Amino acid sequence: MPPYPNYYAAARPSSSSSSAVASCLVALLFLLLAAGGAAAALFLLYRPQAPAIVVTAVQLPAFTTANGTVAFTFQQLASVRNPNRSPLAHYDSSLHVAYAGGEVGRMFIPAGQIAGGRTQYMATSFAVPAFAVSASAEQPVTISVPASGPSPAVSAMVQHEQQQAMEVESLLRVKGKVTVLKVFTHHVEAAKVCRIGVSPADGRVLGFRC
């Protein structure tokens, strides 16, 4: 008869139970790592991003001046691209116009939706009521113009003639939400500020920089 039969009989079930627990822990760890990797891949693939705004044109088609004040119609054309795979539902978006650090006009942009990976053009036009122009607008101002603004020839003419200009600012703010995998909703927001040089005599846009 082999020695210590009771010892070996008790040891065998204990060893088998430990192996089963270890296998379960390894399997659980593998599942957690797989779930974490899948979540990271989905986040990188569907992570919400703010829309990209590009201002392509600014005009003041109506412009009046009287007794040291000016009033005009402000028009701006911008493209808004949705870089997400999911649609972007935008709301509470607005365009603001400021002069000398104070807001002189605004308009709210109607809500809408931009499909994933698509670009939508936003044409805005509204009347800015009369406001006083400061004396600094009578000084020569050089407006530098990037590639997105008027042609280099126009920029060179403005810099060469040193035309008198007043400067206004526009702020286009786009707010919205992106629903990832039809479950998770993320709020996104983007803004674009432009400095616009305007002739105080006739309202011509001499250049803009965003």
Side-chain angles (χ1 to χ4, degrees), residues 70-110:
V70 297
F72 52 79
T73 298
F74 187 86
Q75 291 184 348
Q76 180 172 286
L77 177 63
S79 63
V80 180
R81 180 179 179 275
N82 176 17
N84 301 284
R85 293 174 176 267
S86 303
L88 166 65
H90 62 85
Y91 53 88
D92 290 341
S93 301
S94 56
L95 176 62
H96 305 254
V97 176
Y99 173 75
E103 183 177 291
V104 295
R106 72 168 68 179
M107 79 165 291
F108 291 97
I109 300 172

PDB file of all heavy atoms in Angstrom, residues 70-110:
ATOM      1  N   VAL A  70     -22.493 105.129 -38.514  1.00  0.00           N
ATOM      2  CA  VAL A  70     -22.627 104.304 -39.711  1.00  0.00           C
ATOM      3  C   VAL A  70     -23.645 103.198 -39.425  1.00  0.00           C
ATOM      4  O   VAL A  70     -23.827 102.778 -38.284  1.00  0.00           O
ATOM      5  CB  VAL A  70     -21.282 103.663 -40.139  1.00  0.00           C
ATOM      6  CG1 VAL A  70     -20.265 104.731 -40.501  1.00  0.00           C
ATOM      7  CG2 VAL A  70     -20.741 102.742 -39.046  1.00  0.00           C
ATOM      8  N   ALA A  71     -24.314 102.747 -40.482  1.00  0.00           N
ATOM      9  CA  ALA A  71     -25.218 101.607 -40.416  1.00  0.00           C
ATOM     10  C   ALA A  71     -25.025 100.823 -41.704  1.00  0.00           C
ATOM     11  O   ALA A  71     -24.769 101.409 -42.769  1.00  0.00           O
ATOM     12  CB  ALA A  71     -26.673 102.066 -40.271  1.00  0.00           C
ATOM     13  N   PHE A  72     -25.139  99.520 -41.620  1.00  0.00           N
ATOM     14  CA  PHE A  72     -24.894  98.717 -42.820  1.00  0.00           C
ATOM     15  C   PHE A  72     -25.584  97.361 -42.713  1.00  0.00           C
ATOM     16  O   PHE A  72     -26.030  96.936 -41.634  1.00  0.00           O
ATOM     17  CB  PHE A  72     -23.396  98.527 -43.065  1.00  0.00           C
ATOM     18  CG  PHE A  72     -22.624  98.012 -41.879  1.00  0.00           C
ATOM     19  CD1 PHE A  72     -22.628  96.661 -41.529  1.00  0.00           C
ATOM     20  CD2 PHE A  72     -21.888  98.886 -41.092  1.00  0.00           C
ATOM     21  CE1 PHE A  72     -21.917  96.189 -40.448  1.00  0.00           C
ATOM     22  CE2 PHE A  72     -21.170  98.439 -39.997  1.00  0.00           C
ATOM     23  CZ  PHE A  72     -21.179  97.082 -39.677  1.00  0.00           C
ATOM     24  N   THR A  73     -25.649  96.696 -43.857  1.00  0.00           N
ATOM     25  CA  THR A  73     -26.089  95.302 -43.917  1.00  0.00           C
ATOM     26  C   THR A  73     -24.849  94.428 -43.970  1.00  0.00           C
ATOM     27  O   THR A  73     -23.983  94.631 -44.829  1.00  0.00           O
ATOM     28  CB  THR A  73     -26.957  95.045 -45.156  1.00  0.00           C
ATOM     29  OG1 THR A  73     -28.140  95.860 -45.077  1.00  0.00           O
ATOM     30  CG2 THR A  73     -27.377  93.584 -45.236  1.00  0.00           C
ATOM     31  N   PHE A  74     -24.772  93.491 -43.068  1.00  0.00           N
ATOM     32  CA  PHE A  74     -23.587  92.633 -42.979  1.00  0.00           C
ATOM     33  C   PHE A  74     -23.908  91.270 -43.568  1.00  0.00           C
ATOM     34  O   PHE A  74     -24.874  90.622 -43.179  1.00  0.00           O
ATOM     35  CB  PHE A  74     -23.152  92.477 -41.523  1.00  0.00           C
ATOM     36  CG  PHE A  74     -21.850  91.751 -41.352  1.00  0.00           C
ATOM     37  CD1 PHE A  74     -20.652  92.428 -41.424  1.00  0.00           C
ATOM     38  CD2 PHE A  74     -21.835  90.378 -41.121  1.00  0.00           C
ATOM     39  CE1 PHE A  74     -19.447  91.759 -41.272  1.00  0.00           C
ATOM     40  CE2 PHE A  74     -20.632  89.696 -40.970  1.00  0.00           C
ATOM     41  CZ  PHE A  74     -19.440  90.395 -41.043  1.00  0.00           C
ATOM     42  N   GLN A  75     -23.091  90.855 -44.542  1.00  0.00           N
ATOM     43  CA  GLN A  75     -23.249  89.543 -45.159  1.00  0.00           C
ATOM     44  C   GLN A  75     -21.950  88.758 -45.029  1.00  0.00           C
ATOM     45  O   GLN A  75     -20.866  89.304 -45.242  1.00  0.00           O
ATOM     46  CB  GLN A  75     -23.611  89.676 -46.644  1.00  0.00           C
ATOM     47  CG  GLN A  75     -24.993  90.227 -46.900  1.00  0.00           C
ATOM     48  CD  GLN A  75     -25.346  90.262 -48.374  1.00  0.00           C
ATOM     49  OE1 GLN A  75     -24.495  90.079 -49.244  1.00  0.00           O
ATOM     50  NE2 GLN A  75     -26.612  90.507 -48.679  1.00  0.00           N
ATOM     51  N   GLN A  76     -22.088  87.495 -44.658  1.00  0.00           N
ATOM     52  CA  GLN A  76     -20.911  86.645 -44.510  1.00  0.00           C
ATOM     53  C   GLN A  76     -21.233  85.242 -45.021  1.00  0.00           C
ATOM     54  O   GLN A  76     -22.306  84.698 -44.752  1.00  0.00           O
ATOM     55  CB  GLN A  76     -20.471  86.571 -43.050  1.00  0.00           C
ATOM     56  CG  GLN A  76     -19.237  85.697 -42.813  1.00  0.00           C
ATOM     57  CD  GLN A  76     -18.732  85.804 -41.388  1.00  0.00           C
ATOM     58  OE1 GLN A  76     -18.142  86.806 -40.993  1.00  0.00           O
ATOM     59  NE2 GLN A  76     -18.968  84.773 -40.606  1.00  0.00           N
ATOM     60  N   LEU A  77     -20.305  84.694 -45.782  1.00  0.00           N
ATOM     61  CA  LEU A  77     -20.445  83.332 -46.284  1.00  0.00           C
ATOM     62  C   LEU A  77     -19.354  82.480 -45.654  1.00  0.00           C
ATOM     63  O   LEU A  77     -18.175  82.834 -45.697  1.00  0.00           O
ATOM     64  CB  LEU A  77     -20.325  83.294 -47.813  1.00  0.00           C
ATOM     65  CG  LEU A  77     -20.388  81.908 -48.455  1.00  0.00           C
ATOM     66  CD1 LEU A  77     -21.749  81.256 -48.207  1.00  0.00           C
ATOM     67  CD2 LEU A  77     -20.099  81.991 -49.954  1.00  0.00           C
ATOM     68  N   ALA A  78     -19.748  81.375 -45.041  1.00  0.00           N
ATOM     69  CA  ALA A  78     -18.797  80.493 -44.380  1.00  0.00           C
ATOM     70  C   ALA A  78     -19.146  79.046 -44.695  1.00  0.00           C
ATOM     71  O   ALA A  78     -20.307  78.706 -44.943  1.00  0.00           O
ATOM     72  CB  ALA A  78     -18.798  80.718 -42.869  1.00  0.00           C
ATOM     73  N   SER A  79     -18.129  78.205 -44.686  1.00  0.00           N
ATOM     74  CA  SER A  79     -18.341  76.768 -44.836  1.00  0.00           C
ATOM     75  C   SER A  79     -18.094  76.102 -43.489  1.00  0.00           C
ATOM     76  O   SER A  79     -17.143  76.423 -42.786  1.00  0.00           O
ATOM     77  CB  SER A  79     -17.407  76.182 -45.902  1.00  0.00           C
ATOM     78  OG  SER A  79     -16.044  76.326 -45.505  1.00  0.00           O
ATOM     79  N   VAL A  80     -18.978  75.176 -43.137  1.00  0.00           N
ATOM     80  CA  VAL A  80     -18.864  74.446 -41.874  1.00  0.00           C
ATOM     81  C   VAL A  80     -18.780  72.964 -42.220  1.00  0.00           C
ATOM     82  O   VAL A  80     -19.714  72.388 -42.784  1.00  0.00           O
ATOM     83  CB  VAL A  80     -20.067  74.717 -40.959  1.00  0.00           C
ATOM     84  CG1 VAL A  80     -19.929  73.954 -39.644  1.00  0.00           C
ATOM     85  CG2 VAL A  80     -20.203  76.213 -40.688  1.00  0.00           C
ATOM     86  N   ARG A  81     -17.663  72.355 -41.868  1.00  0.00           N
ATOM     87  CA  ARG A  81     -17.447  70.935 -42.184  1.00  0.00           C
ATOM     88  C   ARG A  81     -17.621  70.090 -40.921  1.00  0.00           C
ATOM     89  O   ARG A  81     -17.112  70.430 -39.850  1.00  0.00           O
ATOM     90  CB  ARG A  81     -16.057  70.705 -42.762  1.00  0.00           C
ATOM     91  CG  ARG A  81     -15.769  69.247 -43.109  1.00  0.00           C
ATOM     92  CD  ARG A  81     -14.391  69.057 -43.705  1.00  0.00           C
ATOM     93  NE  ARG A  81     -14.136  67.648 -44.004  1.00  0.00           N
ATOM     94  CZ  ARG A  81     -13.673  66.770 -43.111  1.00  0.00           C
ATOM     95  NH1 ARG A  81     -13.396  67.179 -41.875  1.00  0.00           N
ATOM     96  NH2 ARG A  81     -13.479  65.507 -43.438  1.00  0.00           N
ATOM     97  N   ASN A  82     -18.348  69.001 -41.068  1.00  0.00           N
ATOM     98  CA  ASN A  82     -18.524  68.042 -39.976  1.00  0.00           C
ATOM     99  C   ASN A  82     -17.491  66.928 -40.143  1.00  0.00           C
ATOM    100  O   ASN A  82     -17.625  66.081 -41.026  1.00  0.00           O
ATOM    101  CB  ASN A  82     -19.943  67.467 -40.009  1.00  0.00           C
ATOM    102  CG  ASN A  82     -20.152  66.386 -38.959  1.00  0.00           C
ATOM    103  OD1 ASN A  82     -19.376  66.276 -38.005  1.00  0.00           O
ATOM    104  ND2 ASN A  82     -21.192  65.589 -39.120  1.00  0.00           N
ATOM    105  N   PRO A  83     -16.459  66.886 -39.305  1.00  0.00           N
ATOM    106  CA  PRO A  83     -15.418  65.874 -39.458  1.00  0.00           C
ATOM    107  C   PRO A  83     -15.801  64.515 -38.868  1.00  0.00           C
ATOM    108  O   PRO A  83     -15.026  63.555 -38.985  1.00  0.00           O
ATOM    109  CB  PRO A  83     -14.238  66.478 -38.691  1.00  0.00           C
ATOM    110  CG  PRO A  83     -14.893  67.267 -37.602  1.00  0.00           C
ATOM    111  CD  PRO A  83     -16.167  67.806 -38.194  1.00  0.00           C
ATOM    112  N   ASN A  84     -16.949  64.423 -38.250  1.00  0.00           N
ATOM    113  CA  ASN A  84     -17.370  63.184 -37.600  1.00  0.00           C
ATOM    114  C   ASN A  84     -18.021  62.228 -38.590  1.00  0.00           C
ATOM    115  O   ASN A  84     -18.541  62.637 -39.629  1.00  0.00           O
ATOM    116  CB  ASN A  84     -18.357  63.501 -36.470  1.00  0.00           C
ATOM    117  CG  ASN A  84     -17.763  64.421 -35.428  1.00  0.00           C
ATOM    118  OD1 ASN A  84     -16.965  64.017 -34.594  1.00  0.00           O
ATOM    119  ND2 ASN A  84     -18.141  65.700 -35.474  1.00  0.00           N
ATOM    120  N   ARG A  85     -18.022  60.949 -38.233  1.00  0.00           N
ATOM    121  CA  ARG A  85     -18.711  59.960 -39.040  1.00  0.00           C
ATOM    122  C   ARG A  85     -20.228  60.049 -38.838  1.00  0.00           C
ATOM    123  O   ARG A  85     -20.998  59.656 -39.713  1.00  0.00           O
ATOM    124  CB  ARG A  85     -18.224  58.554 -38.685  1.00  0.00           C
ATOM    125  CG  ARG A  85     -16.773  58.284 -39.073  1.00  0.00           C
ATOM    126  CD  ARG A  85     -16.313  56.924 -38.569  1.00  0.00           C
ATOM    127  NE  ARG A  85     -14.964  56.637 -39.011  1.00  0.00           N
ATOM    128  CZ  ARG A  85     -14.642  55.965 -40.109  1.00  0.00           C
ATOM    129  NH1 ARG A  85     -15.615  55.500 -40.890  1.00  0.00           N
ATOM    130  NH2 ARG A  85     -13.395  55.751 -40.437  1.00  0.00           N
ATOM    131  N   SER A  86     -20.622  60.530 -37.670  1.00  0.00           N
ATOM    132  CA  SER A  86     -22.045  60.666 -37.356  1.00  0.00           C
ATOM    133  C   SER A  86     -22.532  62.054 -37.737  1.00  0.00           C
ATOM    134  O   SER A  86     -21.747  63.003 -37.794  1.00  0.00           O
ATOM    135  CB  SER A  86     -22.279  60.416 -35.866  1.00  0.00           C
ATOM    136  OG  SER A  86     -21.801  59.136 -35.478  1.00  0.00           O
ATOM    137  N   PRO A  87     -23.824  62.233 -37.977  1.00  0.00           N
ATOM    138  CA  PRO A  87     -24.369  63.561 -38.307  1.00  0.00           C
ATOM    139  C   PRO A  87     -24.184  64.538 -37.153  1.00  0.00           C
ATOM    140  O   PRO A  87     -24.176  64.151 -35.978  1.00  0.00           O
ATOM    141  CB  PRO A  87     -25.851  63.273 -38.553  1.00  0.00           C
ATOM    142  CG  PRO A  87     -25.928  61.816 -38.871  1.00  0.00           C
ATOM    143  CD  PRO A  87     -24.853  61.175 -38.064  1.00  0.00           C
ATOM    144  N   LEU A  88     -24.039  65.801 -37.504  1.00  0.00           N
ATOM    145  CA  LEU A  88     -23.926  66.883 -36.532  1.00  0.00           C
ATOM    146  C   LEU A  88     -25.220  67.686 -36.559  1.00  0.00           C
ATOM    147  O   LEU A  88     -25.569  68.273 -37.579  1.00  0.00           O
ATOM    148  CB  LEU A  88     -22.732  67.785 -36.864  1.00  0.00           C
ATOM    149  CG  LEU A  88     -22.675  69.138 -36.148  1.00  0.00           C
ATOM    150  CD1 LEU A  88     -22.490  68.943 -34.643  1.00  0.00           C
ATOM    151  CD2 LEU A  88     -21.555  70.003 -36.716  1.00  0.00           C
ATOM    152  N   ALA A  89     -25.934  67.701 -35.445  1.00  0.00           N
ATOM    153  CA  ALA A  89     -27.142  68.513 -35.314  1.00  0.00           C
ATOM    154  C   ALA A  89     -26.747  69.820 -34.645  1.00  0.00           C
ATOM    155  O   ALA A  89     -26.358  69.829 -33.475  1.00  0.00           O
ATOM    156  CB  ALA A  89     -28.182  67.778 -34.487  1.00  0.00           C
ATOM    157  N   HIS A  90     -26.812  70.933 -35.408  1.00  0.00           N
ATOM    158  CA  HIS A  90     -26.385  72.217 -34.847  1.00  0.00           C
ATOM    159  C   HIS A  90     -27.609  73.043 -34.453  1.00  0.00           C
ATOM    160  O   HIS A  90     -28.662  72.993 -35.097  1.00  0.00           O
ATOM    161  CB  HIS A  90     -25.499  72.990 -35.832  1.00  0.00           C
ATOM    162  CG  HIS A  90     -26.165  73.367 -37.117  1.00  0.00           C
ATOM    163  ND1 HIS A  90     -26.922  74.509 -37.266  1.00  0.00           N
ATOM    164  CD2 HIS A  90     -26.178  72.745 -38.329  1.00  0.00           C
ATOM    165  CE1 HIS A  90     -27.373  74.581 -38.500  1.00  0.00           C
ATOM    166  NE2 HIS A  90     -26.942  73.517 -39.175  1.00  0.00           N
ATOM    167  N   TYR A  91     -27.439  73.801 -33.378  1.00  0.00           N
ATOM    168  CA  TYR A  91     -28.513  74.636 -32.835  1.00  0.00           C
ATOM    169  C   TYR A  91     -27.856  75.726 -31.996  1.00  0.00           C
ATOM    170  O   TYR A  91     -26.667  75.650 -31.660  1.00  0.00           O
ATOM    171  CB  TYR A  91     -29.462  73.806 -31.971  1.00  0.00           C
ATOM    172  CG  TYR A  91     -28.754  73.017 -30.893  1.00  0.00           C
ATOM    173  CD1 TYR A  91     -28.512  73.567 -29.647  1.00  0.00           C
ATOM    174  CD2 TYR A  91     -28.283  71.731 -31.156  1.00  0.00           C
ATOM    175  CE1 TYR A  91     -27.830  72.860 -28.675  1.00  0.00           C
ATOM    176  CE2 TYR A  91     -27.604  71.018 -30.193  1.00  0.00           C
ATOM    177  CZ  TYR A  91     -27.378  71.579 -28.950  1.00  0.00           C
ATOM    178  OH  TYR A  91     -26.682  70.871 -27.997  1.00  0.00           O
ATOM    179  N   ASP A  92     -28.610  76.745 -31.652  1.00  0.00           N
ATOM    180  CA  ASP A  92     -28.091  77.873 -30.867  1.00  0.00           C
ATOM    181  C   ASP A  92     -26.844  78.484 -31.495  1.00  0.00           C
ATOM    182  O   ASP A  92     -25.989  79.042 -30.805  1.00  0.00           O
ATOM    183  CB  ASP A  92     -27.774  77.443 -29.428  1.00  0.00           C
ATOM    184  CG  ASP A  92     -29.024  77.157 -28.621  1.00  0.00           C
ATOM    185  OD1 ASP A  92     -30.102  77.625 -29.039  1.00  0.00           O
ATOM    186  OD2 ASP A  92     -28.935  76.467 -27.593  1.00  0.00           O
ATOM    187  N   SER A  93     -26.712  78.380 -32.807  1.00  0.00           N
ATOM    188  CA  SER A  93     -25.577  78.990 -33.507  1.00  0.00           C
ATOM    189  C   SER A  93     -25.899  80.444 -33.811  1.00  0.00           C
ATOM    190  O   SER A  93     -27.065  80.818 -33.981  1.00  0.00           O
ATOM    191  CB  SER A  93     -25.271  78.224 -34.798  1.00  0.00           C
ATOM    192  OG  SER A  93     -24.970  76.873 -34.511  1.00  0.00           O
ATOM    193  N   SER A  94     -24.858  81.287 -33.899  1.00  0.00           N
ATOM    194  CA  SER A  94     -25.104  82.718 -34.067  1.00  0.00           C
ATOM    195  C   SER A  94     -23.916  83.403 -34.717  1.00  0.00           C
ATOM    196  O   SER A  94     -22.792  82.882 -34.720  1.00  0.00           O
ATOM    197  CB  SER A  94     -25.391  83.372 -32.708  1.00  0.00           C
ATOM    198  OG  SER A  94     -24.326  83.118 -31.799  1.00  0.00           O
ATOM    199  N   LEU A  95     -24.199  84.570 -35.274  1.00  0.00           N
ATOM    200  CA  LEU A  95     -23.169  85.435 -35.856  1.00  0.00           C
ATOM    201  C   LEU A  95     -23.247  86.796 -35.177  1.00  0.00           C
ATOM    202  O   LEU A  95     -24.322  87.400 -35.115  1.00  0.00           O
ATOM    203  CB  LEU A  95     -23.385  85.587 -37.372  1.00  0.00           C
ATOM    204  CG  LEU A  95     -22.442  86.542 -38.093  1.00  0.00           C
ATOM    205  CD1 LEU A  95     -20.991  86.071 -37.996  1.00  0.00           C
ATOM    206  CD2 LEU A  95     -22.842  86.694 -39.559  1.00  0.00           C
ATOM    207  N   HIS A  96     -22.123  87.259 -34.655  1.00  0.00           N
ATOM    208  CA  HIS A  96     -22.060  88.533 -33.941  1.00  0.00           C
ATOM    209  C   HIS A  96     -21.114  89.478 -34.681  1.00  0.00           C
ATOM    210  O   HIS A  96     -20.105  89.047 -35.238  1.00  0.00           O
ATOM    211  CB  HIS A  96     -21.551  88.331 -32.509  1.00  0.00           C
ATOM    212  CG  HIS A  96     -22.347  87.334 -31.720  1.00  0.00           C
ATOM    213  ND1 HIS A  96     -23.231  87.700 -30.726  1.00  0.00           N
ATOM    214  CD2 HIS A  96     -22.400  85.972 -31.784  1.00  0.00           C
ATOM    215  CE1 HIS A  96     -23.781  86.615 -30.202  1.00  0.00           C
ATOM    216  NE2 HIS A  96     -23.293  85.552 -30.833  1.00  0.00           N
ATOM    217  N   VAL A  97     -21.443  90.762 -34.649  1.00  0.00           N
ATOM    218  CA  VAL A  97     -20.585  91.808 -35.223  1.00  0.00           C
ATOM    219  C   VAL A  97     -20.270  92.806 -34.118  1.00  0.00           C
ATOM    220  O   VAL A  97     -21.174  93.251 -33.394  1.00  0.00           O
ATOM    221  CB  VAL A  97     -21.263  92.514 -36.414  1.00  0.00           C
ATOM    222  CG1 VAL A  97     -20.394  93.654 -36.921  1.00  0.00           C
ATOM    223  CG2 VAL A  97     -21.528  91.514 -37.533  1.00  0.00           C
ATOM    224  N   ALA A  98     -18.996  93.146 -33.982  1.00  0.00           N
ATOM    225  CA  ALA A  98     -18.555  94.052 -32.922  1.00  0.00           C
ATOM    226  C   ALA A  98     -17.700  95.161 -33.507  1.00  0.00           C
ATOM    227  O   ALA A  98     -17.067  95.005 -34.567  1.00  0.00           O
ATOM    228  CB  ALA A  98     -17.767  93.286 -31.853  1.00  0.00           C
ATOM    229  N   TYR A  99     -17.689  96.281 -32.802  1.00  0.00           N
ATOM    230  CA  TYR A  99     -16.852  97.422 -33.187  1.00  0.00           C
ATOM    231  C   TYR A  99     -16.305  98.059 -31.919  1.00  0.00           C
ATOM    232  O   TYR A  99     -17.056  98.312 -30.963  1.00  0.00           O
ATOM    233  CB  TYR A  99     -17.650  98.451 -33.997  1.00  0.00           C
ATOM    234  CG  TYR A  99     -16.880  99.723 -34.279  1.00  0.00           C
ATOM    235  CD1 TYR A  99     -15.868  99.741 -35.233  1.00  0.00           C
ATOM    236  CD2 TYR A  99     -17.149 100.885 -33.571  1.00  0.00           C
ATOM    237  CE1 TYR A  99     -15.146 100.893 -35.477  1.00  0.00           C
ATOM    238  CE2 TYR A  99     -16.430 102.051 -33.818  1.00  0.00           C
ATOM    239  CZ  TYR A  99     -15.427 102.041 -34.773  1.00  0.00           C
ATOM    240  OH  TYR A  99     -14.709 103.179 -35.013  1.00  0.00           O
ATOM    241  N   ALA A 100     -15.002  98.286 -31.902  1.00  0.00           N
ATOM    242  CA  ALA A 100     -14.330  98.929 -30.761  1.00  0.00           C
ATOM    243  C   ALA A 100     -14.624  98.196 -29.450  1.00  0.00           C
ATOM    244  O   ALA A 100     -14.839  98.810 -28.414  1.00  0.00           O
ATOM    245  CB  ALA A 100     -14.735 100.393 -30.659  1.00  0.00           C
ATOM    246  N   GLY A 101     -14.664  96.869 -29.529  1.00  0.00           N
ATOM    247  CA  GLY A 101     -14.849  96.077 -28.331  1.00  0.00           C
ATOM    248  C   GLY A 101     -16.281  95.892 -27.873  1.00  0.00           C
ATOM    249  O   GLY A 101     -16.528  95.227 -26.856  1.00  0.00           O
ATOM    250  N   GLY A 102     -17.256  96.458 -28.584  1.00  0.00           N
ATOM    251  CA  GLY A 102     -18.665  96.316 -28.199  1.00  0.00           C
ATOM    252  C   GLY A 102     -19.484  95.727 -29.326  1.00  0.00           C
ATOM    253  O   GLY A 102     -19.263  96.039 -30.506  1.00  0.00           O
ATOM    254  N   GLU A 103     -20.447  94.894 -28.972  1.00  0.00           N
ATOM    255  CA  GLU A 103     -21.298  94.277 -29.979  1.00  0.00           C
ATOM    256  C   GLU A 103     -22.267  95.300 -30.566  1.00  0.00           C
ATOM    257  O   GLU A 103     -22.897  96.055 -29.831  1.00  0.00           O
ATOM    258  CB  GLU A 103     -22.071  93.110 -29.369  1.00  0.00           C
ATOM    259  CG  GLU A 103     -22.931  92.358 -30.382  1.00  0.00           C
ATOM    260  CD  GLU A 103     -23.638  91.160 -29.770  1.00  0.00           C
ATOM    261  OE1 GLU A 103     -22.939  90.191 -29.420  1.00  0.00           O
ATOM    262  OE2 GLU A 103     -24.870  91.223 -29.630  1.00  0.00           O
ATOM    263  N   VAL A 104     -22.387  95.301 -31.906  1.00  0.00           N
ATOM    264  CA  VAL A 104     -23.289  96.231 -32.582  1.00  0.00           C
ATOM    265  C   VAL A 104     -24.413  95.516 -33.325  1.00  0.00           C
ATOM    266  O   VAL A 104     -25.358  96.152 -33.796  1.00  0.00           O
ATOM    267  CB  VAL A 104     -22.505  97.140 -33.559  1.00  0.00           C
ATOM    268  CG1 VAL A 104     -21.548  98.041 -32.796  1.00  0.00           C
ATOM    269  CG2 VAL A 104     -21.743  96.317 -34.599  1.00  0.00           C
ATOM    270  N   GLY A 105     -24.336  94.196 -33.443  1.00  0.00           N
ATOM    271  CA  GLY A 105     -25.399  93.459 -34.121  1.00  0.00           C
ATOM    272  C   GLY A 105     -25.177  91.966 -34.015  1.00  0.00           C
ATOM    273  O   GLY A 105     -24.058  91.501 -33.795  1.00  0.00           O
ATOM    274  N   ARG A 106     -26.269  91.229 -34.150  1.00  0.00           N
ATOM    275  CA  ARG A 106     -26.181  89.770 -34.107  1.00  0.00           C
ATOM    276  C   ARG A 106     -27.367  89.151 -34.820  1.00  0.00           C
ATOM    277  O   ARG A 106     -28.387  89.797 -35.024  1.00  0.00           O
ATOM    278  CB  ARG A 106     -26.160  89.258 -32.664  1.00  0.00           C
ATOM    279  CG  ARG A 106     -27.512  89.376 -31.966  1.00  0.00           C
ATOM    280  CD  ARG A 106     -27.558  88.611 -30.654  1.00  0.00           C
ATOM    281  NE  ARG A 106     -26.696  89.183 -29.640  1.00  0.00           N
ATOM    282  CZ  ARG A 106     -26.605  88.682 -28.404  1.00  0.00           C
ATOM    283  NH1 ARG A 106     -27.322  87.614 -28.073  1.00  0.00           N
ATOM    284  NH2 ARG A 106     -25.837  89.270 -27.512  1.00  0.00           N
ATOM    285  N   MET A 107     -27.219  87.899 -35.195  1.00  0.00           N
ATOM    286  CA  MET A 107     -28.331  87.124 -35.721  1.00  0.00           C
ATOM    287  C   MET A 107     -28.137  85.668 -35.318  1.00  0.00           C
ATOM    288  O   MET A 107     -27.006  85.187 -35.175  1.00  0.00           O
ATOM    289  CB  MET A 107     -28.459  87.251 -37.237  1.00  0.00           C
ATOM    290  CG  MET A 107     -27.493  86.417 -38.047  1.00  0.00           C
ATOM    291  SD  MET A 107     -27.959  86.278 -39.804  1.00  0.00           S
ATOM    292  CE  MET A 107     -29.438  85.268 -39.705  1.00  0.00           C
ATOM    293  N   PHE A 108     -29.263  84.968 -35.116  1.00  0.00           N
ATOM    294  CA  PHE A 108     -29.214  83.558 -34.777  1.00  0.00           C
ATOM    295  C   PHE A 108     -29.434  82.730 -36.036  1.00  0.00           C
ATOM    296  O   PHE A 108     -30.278  83.058 -36.878  1.00  0.00           O
ATOM    297  CB  PHE A 108     -30.256  83.229 -33.718  1.00  0.00           C
ATOM    298  CG  PHE A 108     -29.949  83.834 -32.376  1.00  0.00           C
ATOM    299  CD1 PHE A 108     -30.532  85.029 -31.990  1.00  0.00           C
ATOM    300  CD2 PHE A 108     -29.051  83.226 -31.518  1.00  0.00           C
ATOM    301  CE1 PHE A 108     -30.244  85.603 -30.762  1.00  0.00           C
ATOM    302  CE2 PHE A 108     -28.748  83.793 -30.291  1.00  0.00           C
ATOM    303  CZ  PHE A 108     -29.340  84.980 -29.910  1.00  0.00           C
ATOM    304  N   ILE A 109     -28.677  81.665 -36.154  1.00  0.00           N
ATOM    305  CA  ILE A 109     -28.725  80.809 -37.336  1.00  0.00           C
ATOM    306  C   ILE A 109     -29.703  79.662 -37.089  1.00  0.00           C
ATOM    307  O   ILE A 109     -29.640  79.004 -36.046  1.00  0.00           O
ATOM    308  CB  ILE A 109     -27.317  80.266 -37.648  1.00  0.00           C
ATOM    309  CG1 ILE A 109     -26.363  81.441 -37.924  1.00  0.00           C
ATOM    310  CG2 ILE A 109     -27.346  79.308 -38.825  1.00  0.00           C
ATOM    311  CD1 ILE A 109     -24.922  81.043 -38.053  1.00  0.00           C
ATOM    312  N   PRO A 110     -30.616  79.420 -38.018  1.00  0.00           N
ATOM    313  CA  PRO A 110     -31.591  78.339 -37.826  1.00  0.00           C
ATOM    314  C   PRO A 110     -30.916  76.988 -37.609  1.00  0.00           C
ATOM    315  O   PRO A 110     -29.840  76.711 -38.162  1.00  0.00           O
ATOM    316  CB  PRO A 110     -32.399  78.356 -39.132  1.00  0.00           C
ATOM    317  CG  PRO A 110     -32.217  79.738 -39.671  1.00  0.00           C
ATOM    318  CD  PRO A 110     -30.839  80.156 -39.279  1.00  0.00           C
TER     319      PRO A 110
END
